[in-house]
Amino acid sequence: MSFRVYFVTPDGVSDELVMAAVRGGATAVQLRDKQAEDAAMIAQARRLRALLAPLGVPLIVNDRLAVALAARADGLHIGQSDGDPLRMRAALGPVAILGLSIETGAQLAALPPGAVDYLGVGPVRATATKPDHAAPLGMDGLARIVRAAPVPAVAIGGVGAPDIPALKHMGCAGIAVVSAIASAPDPEAAARNLAQTWSHA
């Protein structure tokens, strides 16, 4: 799986916006919606997986194990308060992708060996996309966690194309963005800029 340009969707995202991001170069999609009912999210996840699978782009569901299982999504991403990673791994099976949000070095140290496939590390900076986020790590704090991570680490939280050279240099597997794509006047072009910047960094 490639995490280079990891698109995390805003609430109420349209299928069209997701596909525009993928056309531009998004290499993974996390369907995140804090407002949608499970049934609506399952239906959208099934539609998106049918569209993304032929392109080799994995669909990861945020937080909701039941939705991920019902939609046969490629994986699940959980936060620190969303349940035990080992229990989630047991429910998903060995093939599904499991990601975990890491906000501190202590959380990384407590990571159960072999439970997750990648880490979402952040927030790097304060971001309006998630107002209840933990204290920002900054680039130095991010680098410390990335260096110690036993699995690929993706930077998230207030990061964009200008940060890519530094992120790639410190060993990040990719950049996760919401508004950098979703709020752009041309989401496809925004995703393409991120993908090209990553390739050339």
Side-chain angles (χ1 to χ4, degrees):
M1 172 176 173
S2 170
F3 301 98
R4 292 190 306 273
V5 180
Y6 189 140
F7 178 44
V8 181
T9 68
D11 289 352
V13 71
S14 66
D15 296 0
E16 291 75 18
L17 176 55
V18 171
M19 298 313 294
V22 171
R23 285 194 304 272
T27 54
V29 174
Q30 183 186 132
L31 182 61
R32 181 180 185 273
D33 196 322
K34 296 298 185 182
Q35 309 301 322
E37 298 289 336
D38 278 4
M41 201 167 175
I42 289 167
Q44 184 171 30
R46 286 174 172 164
R47 291 194 310 270
L48 288 173
R49 188 168 189 278
L51 293 167
L52 295 173
L55 305 175
V57 175
L59 177 69
I60 312 295
V61 171
N62 178 270
D63 289 355
R64 303 196 207 185
L65 175 63
V67 171
L69 292 173
R72 296 186 177 179
D74 297 291
L76 176 74
H77 185 93
I78 58 172
Q80 288 292 316
S81 61
D82 295 324
D84 174 34
L86 289 173
R87 185 178 69 81
M88 296 294 183
R89 168 56 69 201
L92 288 166
V95 177
I97 301 160
L98 180 59
L100 176 67
S101 294
I102 292 287
E103 300 158 347
T104 66
Q107 292 171 354
L108 180 65
L111 182 68
V116 303
D117 298 295
Y118 75 94
L119 304 174
V121 183
V124 180
R125 302 187 183 97
T127 170
T129 304
K130 193 176 182 184
D132 60 342
H133 59 68
L137 287 166
M139 294 296 271
D140 290 343
L142 172 67
R144 284 193 294 273
I145 291 177
V146 170
R147 281 196 298 268
V151 291
V154 180
I156 188 166
V159 285
D163 299 302
I164 284 176
L167 297 177
K168 197 171 180 181
H169 179 73
M170 73 175 64
C172 288
I175 181 172
V177 298
V178 184
S179 57
I181 291 176
S183 298
D186 186 337
E188 181 176 342
R192 183 172 295 111
N193 179 51
L194 291 167
Q196 291 177 346
T197 302
W198 188 275
S199 294
H200 297 145

